[in-house]
Amino acid sequence: MAPLLMILAAQLLIASGNLLVKLLETNAPVFQLVLYRQLFATLLVLPFVWRLQGNLKLSPFYKVHLSRALLIGLGNAIFMLAVLHLPLATVTAVIYTSPLLLLLLSAFFLHERIGYRRTVAGIIGFTGILLISQPTEFNLYIGLAFFGAMTSATNSLILKAYSTHEHSFSTLFWSNAFAMVFLIPATWYEGADFNLPVAQVGLTLGVFLYRHDLPDYPCLSTSRCEPNGTSGIHRPYFCRIVRLVVFG
């Protein structure tokens, strides 16, 4: 019960974070926003990683973290751009295609058994997405939101494949730290002046990131979450699908 409550709380934080982003100007610098988000999340996790390892040695899976960092930086910037230009209901419905994409990707790349119950849940979830978004047209920003969903699903897939090799704090720290490699030059190229509201929202999102990412790690990193021996990779996302159906 406690892990499920943590996941539900995480979803509330995600919704709250999207609302904060929506309150910014539509021309807000998205790379600057994501830079503050990932930087503050990295600094929050740093003391835990230091205490866990006794030092700050480079992860042996740095190439994996670099791949995830690119997805984090690019995917989040594109998603923030979609949030700024789309109604929240629409962008939320589109981004919730991520768990459905994750079902397909994990079956194809990790050879995980989906089963009829997950298949039915996926179909119902997709129906919920259509009921919420009620798509009548396709534009650039809906495409960007879908791209953000794809990067999120791919990121979770990589996490599933390697998370048993490293502590969750270490994984969270290095993926966000390496994101700076891409976000700092991207922010410089963006050329925007320092924006205090963007910095404030970014720092708040950093706290939310720390709080909503960690509840997903136990089920992503082990199969004990599922009684039939299949992976628990989809468990953190089932409540999202249920919410799609209910709100739809």
Side-chain angles (χ1 to χ4, degrees), residues 7 16 23 38 45 64 90 101 103 115 125 142 160 166 203 221 225-226 241 246:
I7 293 171
S16 302
L23 294 176
Q38 307 308 137
V45 181
V64 176
T90 300
L101 294 171
L103 282 171
I142 292 178
K160 168 60 184 175
E166 202 168 31
L203 295 180
S221 61
C225 297
E226 296 294 337
I241 295 177
V246 172

Side-chain angles (χ1 to χ4, degrees), residues 112-209:
E112 294 189 349
R113 181 165 56 86
I114 296 178
Y116 74 92
R117 286 181 296 180
R118 289 185 177 86
T119 301
V120 172
I123 294 173
I124 295 175
F126 185 71
T127 303
I129 292 172
L130 295 179
L131 289 172
I132 293 175
S133 59
Q134 298 182 4
T136 56
E137 62 177 348
F138 184 87
N139 58 46
L140 171 64
Y141 297 109
I142 292 178
L144 293 178
F146 182 78
F147 182 81
M150 176 61 78
T151 58
S152 176
T154 305
N155 204 349
S156 295
L157 187 74
I158 297 173
L159 175 62
K160 168 60 184 175
Y162 289 92
S163 59
T164 55
H165 298 76
E166 202 168 31
H167 194 279
S168 57
F169 275 120
S170 181
T171 300
L172 186 61
F173 172 79
W174 287 111
S175 294
N176 286 295
F178 280 131
M180 303 297 114
V181 176
F182 307 105
L183 289 171
I184 290 175
T187 302
W188 176 82
Y189 180 79
E190 195 173 37
D193 294 330
F194 173 76
N195 189 311
L196 181 59
V198 169
Q200 292 171 332
V201 172
L203 295 180
T204 305
L205 293 179
V207 178
F208 287 179
L209 174 67

Side-chain angles (χ1 to χ4, degrees), residues 11 26 28 42 54 83-85 108 110-111 120 133 145 148 222 237:
Q11 302 312 304
T26 55
T42 303
V83 171
L84 291 171
H85 290 86
F108 185 80
L110 301 181
H111 308 291
V120 172
S133 59
T222 179
Y237 302 94

